[in-house]
Structures are given as C-alpha cells and as structure tokens.
Amino acid sequence: MHLHLSPLSWASAALAVLITPAAGAALVPRWGHAVVHERRSTHPGWEDARRLPADVPVPLRIALAQQNLHTLPGHLLAVADPESPTYGAHWSAADVAAAFAPVDEARVAVAEWLVHAGFAAERVKVSYNKAWIEVAGATAQEVEALLETEYRIFKREDGEEHVACHNYSIPAYIAPHIDFVLPTVQPNTRLVKVQNRDGFARRQLSPAPNVNPTTIGLNGSLVGCDTLVVPGCLKTLYNVTYTPNATDRNTFGIASFYSNTYLQSDLDAFFADFSPALVGTSPILVSIDGGTIALDPSSSVGEDDWIFEYAMTLSAPQPVQFLNVGSQQTGQFFSLNEWLDAVDGSYCTSDGGDDFTFDPQLPNPLPGGFKDHSCGTAKAPNVVSNSQAVDEHAYTAFYRQRQCNEFAKLGLMGVTVLYSAGNTGTSGTNTGLSGTQSGYCIDENGSVNLNATNFNPAWPASCPWITAVGGTQVKANATIGHAPEEVWNQDLTMGFFESGGGGFSNHFPTPDYQKTAVDAYLKFLAKNDPTTLRNFNTKGRAYPDISANANSFFHTENGSAAIDSGTSGATPTVASIITLVNDARISAGKKPVGFINPTIYSIGFAGAFNDITDGSNTGCKGLQGVRDGGFKATSGWDPASGVGTPNLGKLIEKWLALP
Ligand SMILES: *[C@@H]1O[C@H](CO)[C@@H](O)[C@H](O)[C@H]1NC(C)=O
Ligand SMILES: *[C@@H]1O[C@H](CO)[C@@H](O)[C@H](O)[C@H]1NC(C)=O
Ligand SMILES: *[C@@H]1O[C@H](CO)[C@@H](O)[C@H](O)[C@H]1NC(C)=O
Ligand SMILES: *[C@@H]1O[C@H](CO)[C@@H](O)[C@H](O)[C@H]1NC(C)=O
Ligand SMILES: *[C@@H]1O[C@H](CO)[C@@H](O)[C@H](O)[C@H]1NC(C)=O
Ligand SMILES: *[C@@H]1O[C@H](CO)[C@@H](O)[C@H](O)[C@H]1NC(C)=O
Ligand SMILES: *[C@@H]1O[C@H](CO)[C@@H](O)[C@H](O)[C@H]1NC(C)=O
Ligand SMILES: *[C@@H]1O[C@H](CO)[C@@H](O)[C@H](O)[C@H]1NC(C)=O
C-alpha cells in the first residue's frame, strides 16, 4: 500500500517568503529545555509496524501559533451575547484574518531555531498567510534530531501505512509560538458519519401498509406523529407558520460528505405529497474538492434525500445550498476541514490549517488523485447544517483547538454552525470502530474499551463555539399542549440502542454562556443520580445546546418510502428554523443571528423553547443498564435535550426584539 509521505503541495514558490535569520546570529537565544509538545494516545485500528528509515524525506511543517486567540471568545460574545451593545455587529473575513494571524516574532523565533539546528536558511519557508513554516527536503534523521523523536510506520487493518511518532519535543522558549508540528503524533483517523449504514444502527424500515403518511399531522394535530414523522408533525411541534420573503438576501447550506448525493426523482415524489410548490426544485450545488450531484459507484442517496426533503420543505421557498465535498477515492479520506477550507481560504492546507494525518492532501499527489483544492472558493451561508459527528478523543488537542477556533471565527462573521450531537447517547459515535462496537465509553487512558465507564463525548459537538443538536421523539398518543416530546431513546434490536447524543467535553471548559444552566443540572444530578457524576468531566463544555425530533422520519429514498432516525434529521430541522428566524430579521433590516448559544441560554429566551422534561439518553455498554445509564431530562437545560426544542413563532418575536 502507498506510504503517505508525498512531498507537500505548497503554495507556489513565488508566494513563499524566504526567511532571513535575524542579524546578530551571535545572540543565539537560550532555547531552554526541550519539553514534550504532543504525545500520542492510543489509536484503535493502527499497529506500530516498524521504524522509518533514516534517509526517507519527511515533509516538515510547523503550524505557528496564531495571535490574540485568547481574545476570540470575548470578541465572539460581543457580537453574539444578546446583552451586548454590539450584538449582531459581525466582522468581515478580512478583519478576522488580520486579527489572528501569527505575530512576526513567532515566525522569526521558529526560523532562528531551525537555522540554529542546522537547516540552511534557504530551506526554511513561510506560507503566504504567515501561518506555517515549512522545511524543504528534511530527512527522518534530521527531523528526529530536531524534535527528539523517533518516526514509526503505522499500519491499518486495510494495509494503509502512515508515518507518525509517539511524542515529540520542542524547546520551552519557542513552544508558545507553535501550535503543532507535522507529521508527528497522529496516523489518520477515519470519520464515521452519525448515521450508520451497516445494518443495525440504521432502521431501514418501510411504513406499515395501512399507514398513509399524507394523512398524518394534519391541521395542527399530532395524530400518527408518534409512529411516523412527516413535515406537518414538525411544523406543529415547532410552531412553524412563517413563510420567508427575504430569500434573495438569505442563505442556508447543508454540508455533505462520503459521496452522498440526492435523486431529484425522490425529492419530487416527496414534494408532491408535502410541498407541491417545490416539485422540480433542486438544491444549489456548491462543489467542494470535486463534489458533484452525479452518482458514482460508492454513492448513497438515503441521507441526503432525507435531509433535503425536510430542509427544503421546512424553509420553502428559501433556496438551499448543497455544500458537497467530493469523493477522493485514491486512498484518501474525508475530513470536517474540507468545507471550512472552502469557506475560509486562510484555513486551508496551502495557506492555513489542514493536517494530512486527518485531512486529505490536496491537490492529491497520487495517480488519478483530485488535482485541485477548494480554498476560499465559497462564501459561508448564514446557516450551515452538519449531520456528522466523530469522537472527541480521536484528535489531538492542538487539532481540536484549531478547528474549534475556526468555528468561533465563523460565528464572529455571523454564521450559525450546527452539528449533530450523535446517536449513541453519552457513548461516542463509533469513530474508527466497526458498528458492532457502537456505544462504548472510554477508559482512564482515553481509549475506547468494552468495560470503560467514562462517557465518550462527540466532536465537534464538544467545541463550545458550535451549536450541537440533540434528539427527541414524539410520545405515544401525544397531543399538542401536553408535553408531546421526550428524549429520543429507542431499542433497535436485541439491546442495541439509539439515543440523542449528550455529554461533557474532556478538553474544553464550560463556557460562561451555559454555566448557570450546567450548574443547575449538576445540582440536580447530585440530588437525584449522584453516581453519574463520576462518569464525566463536570467542568467541561456541555452539549447538546438545543434539540429536535430525531425519530422515524418518513422520506423517499431511491423510489421507495423509507423511515430513518438520527440527529442527522434533527440538525437540518433546527437549521431550517434558524433560517426562518434569519429571514424575519433580514426582512426587518437586521443581521442574521450568527452564533446562537449565548442567546438561547439567556433568561429572556427561556419561554421560546419546548422544555423537554421526560426520558433520558443512553449510557455505556459497560454500565448497568445501558438504556438508563445516561443523562435524564429535567426542567430547564439538560445534557439529553439542551434548552429544548424550538418554538419558531416565539423565537421570531424574541429575535426581532434584539438589535
Ligand atoms: C516518547 O516515545 C518514546 C517511544 O518513541 C518512549 O520511549 C518515551 O517514553 C516517550 N516519552 C514520553 C514522555 O511519553
Ligand atoms: C385538514 O387538512 C386537510 C388538508 O389540508 C383539509 O383538506 C381538511 O379540510 C382539513 N380538515 C379540517 C377539519 O380542518
Ligand atoms: C416579510 O414578512 C414579514 C412577516 O410576515 C413582514 O413583516 C415583512 O414586511 C415582509 N417583508 C417583505 C419585504 O415583504
Ligand atoms: C492505562 O495505562 C496504564 C499505564 O500505562 C496501565 O497500567 C493501565 O492498565 C491502563 N488502563 C487500561 C484500562 O488500559
Ligand atoms: C471486560 O470485563 C470482562 C469481565 O470482567 C472481562 O472478561 C473482559 O476481558 C473485559 N474486556 C476488556 C476489553 O477489558
Ligand atoms: C395509545 O393509544 C392506543 C389506542 O388507543 C392504546 O392502545 C395505547 O395503550 C396508548 N398508549 C399509551 C402509551 O397511552
Ligand atoms: C436504487 O435501487 C436500484 C434497484 O434496487 C439499485 O440498483 C440502485 O443501485 C439504487 N441506487 C442507489 C443510488 O441507491
Ligand atoms: C406560535 O407563535 C405565535 C407567534 O407567531 C404565537 O402567538 C403563538 O402563541 C405560538 N404558539 C404556541 C403554541 O406557542
């Protein structure tokens, strides 16, 4: 199999700036002791096969620390906190780039260190956004000496080989200037989408023959919505009566991966029953890294059919963008960074933040590989719905932090970024594991383990600067006005459970906007379920923030009626509702809502959600009673349903009252 050590596709030489070491080389700084900068935790599926030969070239790239990042949360709150006098005063992309670019001092210090370590100055180059330093033609031996490390070849079950090390060190003096160094501690980790296609986690059901979906949820009733959810059920549950009229000035996008696409014939069959005016209407393709709407042999249509049928119906006549990331095919994989690269060129590989251990290398140097890279090619829509989730523990701290910062920057620019909270309660998202191992927690060493009892949070849900969407379901025989929803928690087959993701980050602290809500919940647990307090980081960022129905969506898939469940459906539902709020604000001459968390947790908005107080999500396989081992819902915010499900009519009233 191919060894992933291809040379970098760097920005063209004309753009690279040659480093001139500072004058007075005699004043060599005291570098200080080398300290371990990153260390590899365990990675299921990768075997440490052998040492990398000393003369193999290693494409050394150093991510310089951006400046002023500690001010990012404050700036974000200034535009997103409803109490702030500058609420809604979003920044331009250029202002964001300028505010956080690494300082000259970082570049100079790192370059001096490299030159001092014996790399000739002409081999040391800076990327044109000044965020990265690259060393041309370094060998394994040279880099091992520089970083006090040893490179190993890691092998995956499928034969794929990647280069990585267990840990590396850099001098204390320059460590504050460096985010991370590549390649180092991570062999690649594959993403697994929330909705699992391997048999039992996804219920590929058809409606019972005696049920006619078009008779469900009519005239504001919920009759039938407990067995089959159609758009009418969601409109009734979430008080969706608003018809948008600023569609030419508003934008809404759905990010898609894994060669998923949709069939227009499926959309039209669904629209004919539930939104006849949309028949013949398509999503607007925004191609990222070669994404198309065409079917290829690995294409799947179920998830995107489902998502677009609902997002387009709920937000009609708002055009909906399809941010479709191409299938790379030649030994490469997908990452959450690809859509971020497309909407922010300063984050991109050739100029920013990708990591080839998690992100595909583009342009792809392999034969037949995709020879382009979508960097800054798209403008971020006002709302981006992402039905993906991976495990927080699968990434390094620096990688997580850098991606989370990027989400905060999008919030600063007025973009609402929504991610699904996962479908396995408190116990991860299956990343890197086969479906049969879903629902496992992590041990004290951060490894997924059959008997582990520490909850396994989802990513990016656990980043405090996105909005994480959990799941609910309609109660049996529910009627409107009598708390019709509870936490999504379904026994699929023989003890396999699906339930709304929820939990606490092991790495990001509780942000201020949710402290009051989280403290109240921790007190509830201390009183009612104290043993659960041992299973998670009580000081972590908690999620979900909000929720919506995740159960039994009727939809049309490849010509047939089908039922699907998952926070994959809850997320575009919430995204559609936020899009309608944005329409009302834009119609009134106001800005889109951007990062919504500080607002939805505020006291003034408490009445604009249906508080979910019944049910719980699932715990770990290793804990007594998987089904009840997770978090219970209670009044107010909880880590099973967030602040609750939206009431659009009330949200519009409240959001129109803000500047
Ligand atoms: C770093 O990794 C090496 C193996 O390459 C190991 O022997 C050493 O103990 C590790 N050091 C730390 C601090 O983890
Ligand atoms: C219920 O809705 C259907 C379809 O919109 C309509 O034909 C019917 O008259 C309504 N029934 C009542 C009782 O309002
Ligand atoms: C859009 O609709 C809202 C509420 O229905 C209304 O207040 C507003 O005037 C409308 N704007 C335009 C441009 O028609
Ligand atoms: C965690 O790591 C420690 C130290 O390497 C080891 O002794 C222990 O057995 C590990 N625990 C598990 C559950 O693997
Ligand atoms: C889990 O615990 C059982 C019972 O103690 C034990 O037999 C099994 O080996 C453990 N599995 C793992 C992966 O530690
Ligand atoms: C729902 O209604 C059906 C039919 O009336 C009844 O058989 C069932 O017990 C009810 N379920 C609940 C949970 O009330
Ligand atoms: C649709 O169904 C047909 C017939 O079963 C099958 O051959 C085809 O591969 C399916 N297409 C997709 C995109 O799932
Ligand atoms: C739905 O929203 C409207 C405002 O558009 C509000 O007057 C009404 O009370 C809301 N309905 C419910 C059931 O909350």
Side-chain angles (χ1 to χ4, degrees), residues 443-445 449:
D443 63 25
E444 73 269 24
N445 299 337
N449 179 324

Side-chain angles (χ1 to χ4, degrees), residues 615-658:
S616 63
N617 60 9
T618 52
C620 311
K621 283 271 153 69
L623 287 178
Q624 282 296 314
V626 183
R627 184 162 199 168
D628 302 317
F631 291 114
K632 288 180 174 47
T634 181
S635 54
W637 178 89
D638 54 68
S641 67
V643 296
T645 62
N647 179 329
L648 176 64
K650 292 187 177 176
L651 283 173
I652 288 178
E653 282 172 12
K654 292 191 186 287
W655 249 308
L656 282 179
L658 293 181

Side-chain angles (χ1 to χ4, degrees), residues 226 475-478:
D226 52 351
K475 290 178 184 169
N477 304 337

